[in-house]
Amino acid sequence: MMKNKFIPFLPLFFFTILIYLYLNYKVESLHIIMQIRLPRLMLAFLVGFVLSGVGYSFQIMLNNPLAEPYILGISSGAAFGSILASVLGFYLFMPLFGFIGALLTLTIVWFLAHLGGFFNGTKLLLSGIIVGMFFSALISLIMYFNQQDIGNIINVLMGNLGHIFSRQEWYYFLAIFGISILLMFYLFLLSRKLMILTTGDIIAGSLGINVKKLRRKIFIISSLLTGITVAYAGIIGFIGLIVPHIVRMISGGNKRAGIIYSSLYGAMLLILCDLIAMHITTIEIPVGIITAFLGCPFFLLIMAKSR
Amino acid sequence: MKKIVMFLVFVMIIAGCIPEKKQTLNRYIVTSPEIAEIIYLLQGAENIVGVTIECDYPAKLLEIEKVGNFGKVDFEKIISLDPTIVFTSGLEQELLTSELNKLQIPTAKFYPESIADMISSIREIGILIDVEERANFVADSLQIELNKITQNNGDNSPKVYVEIYNNPIMSVSDRSFVGEVIQKSGGDNIFAELPRDYSRVSAEDVINADPEIILLTCPPEFTAESIKMRKGWEVISAVKNDRIYTALDVNPDLIIRATPRVVDGMKQLQKIFNDEK
């Protein structure tokens, strides 16, 4: 029943991808399509896919409609890593440093969330926000003292899907792409248990679910995936927040398959946003600005409705 | 009585702390590396009392007191140096100029955006700092040198891609200073028209334009090797023929800064451009 509501969007999805690849097509530009546009398309797909899927599961796990992949501070940690790499001159290692930054943040946040001896959702949120703020402050500090690197820093903070891959790096990216999709699939398998978690920890526990372990798994997988996206594309806001809500509005409430739809439509929306970002003005504008323009009115809509 | 003596001693100590006015008549603070170079060339460093940390050429300027960096200066320091003129530049320094004017500190703004602009700036600075004759001489000989360089240009100008920033990749238009330098040294900039003088460009457009020469003015960590490794860039002529020039081949300061040294930069560029493959 649910599927029927989503099928009309599929042709739109393929149409967007075709435009993305073949806009201004000339016969000799096959090389460009394969070497420049396809990698960018794959990056946009991965980022939208991951952020929206993770956003969906976070909103359920934390039982908070404003939860999104960046809420636990992972984005700031990863961004700090990338920016640090760029000001130190290791331009080619920006994704690696970003990923290490995400891992570091993940560890700190997880540790802080268990400070009282047991896990607590509110504590997780709070420690995520605090750690995120701390890394934001570090980013501001770096920015202030390294104004010659401001272009790089803006790229990380506003999102940029135009990452120029070196040939070697591209094979790593393909591997990461595959692993990420597999991890997302695992997240989907976990979502059945996650749905039961919405009824409360005690009920879920009485049904034989190891609540603590489930939370840990989802938290770690989601953070790794988010870290990967920030490492390659910077911080692209709102996608992970609005797409799960759109899917929920269409399908009516949380559904198990929601995470798959959320991922797919997140990928589609981000590809569309990137297409707009590349072509709306003569100079490409950061894609995070477009998603924010689409996201803010939507955010208000959610707020007005949920009153 | 004791109290009065104490008071007098105190007053004398205070009075001793007030520094004497330094005797130099002209005290210049220069916040732009380009203008600092020009003033040094015309008059030496004797009247320059403050510079920013970007003013690194000639090396003599490094010894002078720093008042901040290009984007941010310490106003207290500027006031304490008691300048007769503060030489400022454009861009971030527009704001600086107006703030200094609010403090009633005399400023002179020079932001040469073309070679002709630079030459006329040299003459104007000459008048301001009272070395008009020398300034006119420098300006005239510069003009002669430049004319000579343009005459030596080869018949066919190679297509050039200049990368001034690497992430996102940015290039220059013909209206920018660097663009004009490229053009006058016999190169054909692939991004003649851009929405801004210094602007973000797309990798796609670079590949489509197929430049014969790639010139990197970004920091030397960015090597020719890293350009060759870029995915999809292997079809570009400059990459195929190994004609990528980095900051190690041409000192970026020679072509980015609007100073008389640009003549050296143009000669180096011309050698690269005239060199047949």
Side-chain angles (χ1 to χ4, degrees):
Chain A
M1 183 198 84
M2 183 174 164
K3 273 178 190 158
N4 297 340
K5 290 184 185 167
F6 285 98
I7 283 175
F9 290 104
L10 280 178
L12 190 65
F13 194 4
F14 288 114
F15 191 60
T16 314
I17 289 183
L18 282 181
I19 296 180
Y20 195 95
L21 287 178
Y22 286 95
L23 195 74
N24 300 331
Y25 179 75
K26 292 180 222 95
V27 187
E28 68 272 17
S29 49
L30 191 66
H31 173 81
I32 287 189
I33 289 175
M34 294 307 291
Q35 300 290 325
I36 304 287
R37 292 189 185 178
L38 192 63
R40 187 173 179 142
L41 179 78
M42 284 176 69
L43 182 60
F45 181 90
L46 181 71
V47 172
F49 194 84
V50 164
L51 290 182
S52 308
V54 168
Y56 197 89
S57 59
F58 267 14
Q59 285 172 8
I60 296 177
M61 183 175 88
L62 301 170
N63 203 8
N64 185 338
L66 295 183
E68 49 146 354
Y70 298 151
I71 204 163
L72 297 182
I74 308 299
S75 57
S76 307
F80 173 71
S82 299
I83 289 172
L84 191 68
S86 85
V87 297
L88 292 179
F90 304 125
Y91 297 105
L92 298 177
F93 295 108
M94 282 176 70
L96 183 68
F97 272 59
F99 189 64
I100 293 173
L103 283 181
L104 188 72
T105 325
L106 188 161
T107 322
I108 299 174
V109 171
W110 188 249
F111 174 74
L112 288 179
H114 284 83
L115 261 191
F118 56 91
F119 176 86
N120 169 331
T122 318
K123 251 192 223 162
L124 181 69
L125 267 177
L126 279 177
S127 23
I129 291 170
I130 290 168
V131 173
M133 287 200 305
F134 177 73
F135 278 114
S136 300
L138 282 181
I139 293 173
S140 304
L141 186 74
I142 293 186
M143 224 161 121
Y144 187 76
F145 281 112
N146 294 278
Q147 298 194 342
Q148 71 280 10
D149 281 311
I150 212 96
N152 252 318
I153 296 172
I154 284 178
N155 248 353
V156 175
L157 293 184
M158 294 189 186
N160 169 41
L161 292 167
H163 183 86
I164 294 181
F165 291 97
S166 76
R167 282 199 288 286
Q168 220 172 2
E169 191 188 3
W170 174 241
Y171 295 110
Y172 294 133
F173 178 74
L174 283 182
I176 289 171
F177 187 88
I179 292 170
S180 304
I181 301 285
L182 284 180
L183 281 177
M184 284 303 290
F185 187 68
Y186 185 59
L187 210 57
F188 164 67
L189 292 182
L190 286 179
S191 65
R192 180 212 301 265
K193 287 183 186 169
L194 194 61
M195 292 302 301
I196 300 174
L197 209 58
T198 54
T199 58
D201 283 14
I202 295 172
I203 297 178
S206 71
L207 284 170
I209 291 171
N210 187 339
V211 176
K212 200 178 157 189
K213 214 171 150 189
L214 178 67
R215 278 225 182 81
R216 186 169 62 212
K217 267 187 199 163
I218 292 181
F219 172 67
I220 292 177
I221 294 174
S222 308
S223 304
L224 286 181
L225 287 168
T226 309
I228 291 172
T229 65
V230 177
Y232 275 103
I235 298 175
I236 299 177
F238 288 101
I239 287 281
L241 179 67
I242 59 171
V243 175
H245 281 288
I246 296 176
V247 167
R248 223 170 276 131
M249 273 163 69
I250 297 176
S251 67
N254 288 325
K255 296 272 162 56
R256 204 187 134 215
I259 183 167
I260 288 194
Y261 289 115
S262 184
S263 296
L264 275 177
Y265 290 96
M268 175 177 130
L269 187 65
L270 189 57
I271 291 172
L272 192 66
C273 285
D274 191 34
L275 196 63
I276 297 173
M278 277 194 291
H279 297 291
I280 194 165
T281 54
T282 36
I283 311 174
E284 181 186 331
I285 50 180
V287 69
I289 293 177
I290 302 287
T291 56
F293 268 134
L294 291 179
C296 289
F298 194 80
F299 198 72
L300 288 177
L301 194 75
I302 297 172
M303 220 165 68
K305 270 197 140 186
S306 64
R307 185 155 45 90
Chain B
M1 186 60 196
K2 213 173 173 187
K3 274 184 183 169
I4 294 173
V5 171
M6 284 292 278
F7 177 75
L8 284 177
V9 169
F10 185 67
V11 166
M12 279 167 75
I13 290 173
I14 297 281
C17 288
I18 298 170
E20 296 163 47
K21 204 103 185 165
K22 300 210 176 80
Q23 286 309 304
T24 347
L25 239 52
N26 294 316
R27 303 171 56 78
Y28 308 136
I29 290 180
V30 193
T31 59
S32 137
E34 300 176 345
I35 306 306
E37 253 188 80
I38 292 175
I39 293 180
Y40 185 88
L41 181 78
L42 298 181
Q43 198 180 40
E46 59 192 52
N47 289 338
I48 304 178
V49 293
V51 291
T52 52
I53 50 174
E54 283 83 2
C55 304
D56 55 0
Y57 184 91
K60 188 102 208 240
L61 292 179
L62 293 170
E63 297 161 13
I64 295 172
E65 188 129 17
K66 306 286 175 284
V67 297
N69 63 25
F70 191 83
K72 181 105 186 109
V73 299
D74 180 351
F75 286 104
E76 278 188 23
K77 191 134 218 190
I78 290 187
I79 294 170
S80 74
L81 288 171
D82 189 26
T84 47
I85 305 176
V86 179
F87 288 88
T88 59
S89 175
L91 305 170
E92 295 103 309
Q93 296 202 348
E94 303 279 356
L95 186 68
L96 169 70
T97 315
S98 70
E99 303 223 301
L100 286 173
N101 287 339
K102 270 190 243 164
L103 295 170
Q104 296 182 324
I105 296 172
T107 56
K109 187 194 137 194
F110 289 97
Y111 178 50
E113 290 179 81
S114 66
I115 293 176
D117 235 16
M118 175 187 82
I119 292 176
S120 62
S121 292
I122 291 177
R123 293 185 204 275
E124 284 167 39
I125 292 173
I127 297 172
L128 259 179
I129 64 174
D130 238 6
V131 280
E132 200 178 346
E133 246 172 73
R134 173 149 171 81
N136 283 336
F137 173 73
V138 170
D140 291 339
S141 43
L142 204 58
Q143 190 63 59
I144 294 168
E145 286 276 329
L146 286 168
N147 291 344
K148 254 194 242 164
I149 291 176
T150 344
Q151 279 161 15
N152 284 339
N153 280 338
D155 298 331
N156 46 348
S157 36
K159 284 188 285 183
V160 183
Y161 164 60
V162 189
E163 189 167 300
I164 55 165
Y165 201 76
N166 48 58
N167 182 26
I169 55 172
M170 287 177 76
S171 191
V172 301
S173 80
D174 276 355
R175 274 167 302 155
S176 68
F177 186 81
V178 182
E180 192 190 359
V181 168
I182 300 286
Q183 222 179 351
K184 294 226 161 116
S185 330
D188 176 17
N189 181 4
I190 59 170
F191 291 110
E193 287 291 326
L194 282 174
R196 286 198 300 244
D197 293 356
Y198 300 91
S199 166
R200 186 175 177 161
V201 295
S202 74
E204 234 176 77
D205 291 340
V206 177
I207 296 174
N208 274 334
D210 191 25
E212 293 158 69
I213 287 172
I214 294 179
L215 187 66
L216 304 178
T217 66
C218 0
E221 297 96 80
F222 238 63
T223 56
E225 225 35 56
S226 68
I227 301 286
K228 286 185 205 162
M229 283 302 294
R230 281 183 185 168
K231 189 173 167 52
W233 287 49
E234 64 276 4
V235 294
I236 298 175
S237 305
V239 176
K240 277 194 259 178
N241 301 326
D242 206 7
R243 299 200 68 188
I244 303 170
Y245 300 90
T246 65
L248 299 175
D249 300 304
V250 181
N251 178 0
D253 285 351
L254 296 185
I255 52 176
I256 287 179
R257 288 188 182 178
T259 71
R261 278 199 291 163
V262 76
V263 172
D264 301 330
M266 288 174 77
K267 279 179 188 160
Q268 290 179 22
L269 283 183
Q270 193 171 48
K271 238 182 230 166
I272 292 172
F273 295 158
N274 284 349
D275 192 3
E276 278 308 306
K277 288 157 227 164

